[in-house]
Amino acid sequence: MKINFFLILGTVFYLNVNGQIVHDKVVFYETYNKSNDIDKIDLRNLNYKAGEPVFIVINVESSVPNEDFLAQREQEELKNNFGIKTDFINYTVDIKFYNRFKTVLKFSYEDSPKQVIYWSGKMDDKPIVYDGLLKSSEYFSPYLKQNKSSSYIESFNKRKDILITDFVDNPTDKSILISNRLVNKMLLQSLYNMKEESNFFEINFKNIKRVTYTSNFDIDNDKLKEVTFDKDGKPLKIIFEDLKDKNYYYQSSLVYEDNILRKIVSESTNDYHTEVPVFYQDDKLFTYDQYSIKQYRLGENNFLLSEDYYYDDEKFYFLVNQVKVNNNVLRFIENDHMNDRTYSFKSLKDYFPIKIKIREDIDEEIKKVNDKLYKETSSSYEIEYHFSDNNLIDKIVYIEKANPKQKRIINYIYEYYK
């Protein structure tokens, strides 16, 4: 069956209500106000003397992740287009120009400036300030009596054209396997807060009608509410709610045809609604929306491998995240490497113990104590996964080593079809 739509490769990033990208054990990206502490210790003075023209790219942000990569791209673009010295500033600074006006420009984290400055180096000229980071070559070309354009726009459009494809949907015998693996990963992520370690666990939800949970920590009660299933164990709805507003909910509905996932429909009480179609080609599974496409395939031992592509039409860039496996090492590779993870497992027949490295500074390990208990440990915490006789996780216990008596316990409740 030929489907007449166009797809552009990309991926979507998920943030919590505070704008953070959060691992349930480690917060990798934090947003905070640096003005109180950094402005006092990081204030610098830069002096530009007359004589040599200069561009200065300013990107002073109080958040991580930030857009330094866009500013650095603009810096290289200006160098290549005009052959003029180009500096890049991403900290609080006072910039003094030794012209006859004695111009001083101040930049601080409080203002979060994103600007490009050009000064001819002449005593009688003031610096010209462009308010923005993108397409500065087009802005300054008239001042320099040139006709330059930003090459990354053309590069972005060419890559986008290459990635636009008229796909043919053609499920195969492997489509059910890869559909089941993707659904299993989504389920283990939602229910048990797993990431790529979901590849190492096979949990069968057959005959389960509904899963809910109880927790002694409010942090858990502000997330998942319930998951409902059909009799074959396929999740139908994953529902979240807001602890502070019980009238608010967010849910994802999974739609199947011929035993394979065909659509993910997400909606909430604030009229948010989106539908993500799922299709199959060349023994691969694809999901897509207006920003992204994710491509999945099965590797050895049916590991779920992926390439997620995200594109931004306004800022002209692509981001790529990947899951790969090679030589008993499963890798999640993030575009900016802020959240890279590697899982080194024992063998394809016996995974455990699994050594986990997050970026280059956090080490964890998952051990199989017995068939009923798995333990994940790091330098600061321990997580216990308790399995029932039906090979379902009935309890997860989080233990902070600095305060081992205060345990965070999640108990799962399974309701069965009669």
Side-chain angles (χ1 to χ4, degrees), residues 225-356:
K225 180 182 180 182
E226 65 178 12
V227 180
T228 60
F229 299 81
D230 65 13
K231 289 185 177 181
D232 293 325
K234 291 185 175 65
L236 301 176
K237 289 185 179 180
I238 301 173
I239 304 173
F240 297 81
E241 69 178 3
D242 190 332
L243 179 64
K244 298 176 181 178
D245 183 3
K246 291 298 184 181
N247 293 320
Y248 177 85
Y249 76 92
Y250 172 91
Q251 74 174 29
S252 292
S253 300
L254 283 66
V255 180
Y256 305 88
E257 292 179 10
D258 298 326
N259 290 319
I260 58 176
L261 182 65
R262 276 303 191 177
K263 186 164 55 175
I264 303 171
V265 181
S266 299
E267 55 191 348
S268 70
T269 48
N270 60 0
D271 295 327
Y272 172 81
H273 182 93
T274 184
E275 295 188 8
V276 177
V278 181
F279 65 97
Y280 301 83
Q281 178 180 304
D282 300 329
D283 294 331
K284 296 177 182 178
L285 181 156
F286 297 83
T287 66
Y288 71 93
D289 59 24
Q290 61 180 331
Y291 306 108
S292 65
I293 186 169
K294 299 182 181 182
Q295 171 185 304
Y296 300 90
R297 65 182 178 86
L298 295 178
E300 54 187 350
N301 267 33
N302 285 332
F303 284 126
L304 186 66
L305 311 181
S306 62
E307 292 183 5
D308 303 343
Y309 299 84
Y310 168 84
Y311 71 95
D312 190 315
D313 277 328
E314 294 182 354
K315 296 178 181 178
F316 309 105
Y317 71 84
F318 287 86
L319 297 179
V320 184
N321 299 336
Q322 296 175 300
V323 176
K324 298 180 176 182
V325 65
N326 187 37
N327 295 329
N328 294 351
V329 178
L330 184 75
R331 291 183 171 87
F332 170 77
I333 306 167
E334 193 176 55
N335 188 83
D336 59 7
H337 302 293
M338 287 287 291
N339 201 12
D340 284 359
R341 298 186 296 274
T342 61
Y343 301 80
S344 302
F345 51 95
K346 183 179 176 182
S347 70
L348 290 173
K349 294 182 178 180
D350 182 11
Y351 297 139
F352 303 94
I354 301 171
K355 305 282 187 180
I356 305 173

Side-chain angles (χ1 to χ4, degrees), residues 390-415:
N390 295 330
N391 195 36
L392 296 168
I393 295 178
D394 60 9
K395 182 170 64 174
I396 299 179
V397 181
Y398 297 85
I399 305 170
E400 188 178 356
K401 291 184 176 179
N403 190 12
K405 292 184 178 181
Q406 189 175 10
K407 297 181 179 180
R408 171 185 164 199
I409 302 174
I410 302 175
N411 291 290
Y412 292 89
I413 303 166
Y414 298 90
E415 299 177 24

Side-chain angles (χ1 to χ4, degrees), residues 44-91:
R44 309 183 194 182
N45 293 312
L46 291 180
N47 302 322
Y48 286 92
K49 297 180 179 179
E52 183 182 9
V54 65
F55 284 109
I56 308 169
V57 180
I58 305 290
N59 185 59
V60 184
E61 293 185 86
S62 58
S63 63
V64 178
N66 56 42
E67 294 187 341
D68 273 357
F69 71 98
L70 293 179
Q72 290 166 349
R73 182 183 69 179
E74 207 67 24
Q75 178 188 24
E76 291 302 313
E77 191 72 18
L78 290 167
K79 283 181 184 178
N80 294 335
N81 278 342
F82 301 107
I84 293 174
K85 176 186 176 183
T86 307
D87 292 336
F88 167 51
I89 306 297
N90 63 352
Y91 48 81

